[in-house]
Amino acid sequence: MINLDKKIILYLGRTPNFESEVLLQNDMIDGVSNPYIKEWNAKDKPKPTDAQLNALETEATKLENNAKADANRKADYKSIEFQLDYIYHNGIAKWKTDHIKPIKDKYPKE
């Protein structure tokens, strides 16, 4: 929800249960997304202020971009069976240079 979930993860220092601990709502106002915390049930920290969440914007964007890189990498990696067979026949060093590094270079993390 426009980084709101990532900001909450950073604020809490953990991933809450977004179905029971922290419920998010996203109302569209004049075609613009307006995400907010609908319900806060986390017991370890009080509900954050907008200022506290806004201070986490840069880190949340980085977290979201890295999650996208992870998803893209996962989609590009070949099956585990293929990878294990490649390692068996060619060794780990060749597997890293031929299959892992190109994908990590294609989808770098921040």
Side-chain angles (χ1 to χ4, degrees):
M1 303 193 91
I2 318 282
N3 286 341
L4 182 57
D5 58 335
K6 303 296 188 269
K7 291 177 187 178
I8 291 169
I9 290 167
L10 290 166
Y11 172 75
L12 287 173
R14 64 180 178 82
T15 302
N17 182 324
F18 284 107
E19 294 178 2
S20 61
E21 280 189 289
V22 179
L23 281 71
L24 303 179
Q25 183 78 32
N26 190 17
D27 293 341
M28 296 296 285
I29 300 172
D30 295 327
V32 177
S33 179
N34 183 34
Y36 64 93
I37 299 169
K38 181 177 180 179
E39 194 173 318
W40 186 267
N41 298 313
K43 304 292 184 215
D44 45 337
K45 282 191 174 180
K47 182 179 175 181
T49 64
D50 287 342
Q52 287 172 308
L53 292 175
N54 289 339
L56 298 169
E57 180 71 33
T58 301
E59 289 178 76
T61 299
K62 180 179 176 182
L63 198 61
E64 187 161 293
N65 290 342
N66 286 345
K68 287 176 187 175
D70 284 339
N72 287 331
R73 287 176 180 185
K74 186 175 181 179
D76 274 14
Y77 288 137
K78 296 187 179 179
S79 73
I80 190 71
E81 292 85 1
F82 174 87
Q83 292 185 49
L84 289 172
D85 188 60
Y86 196 90
I87 291 168
Y88 177 80
H89 291 288
N90 301 289
I92 289 179
K94 183 107 171 103
W95 168 72
K96 285 181 180 178
T97 59
D98 291 357
H99 294 281
I100 302 303
K101 187 173 182 338
I103 291 171
K104 287 185 181 264
D105 289 347
K106 184 177 177 183
Y107 303 111
K109 288 188 177 183
E110 295 181 30

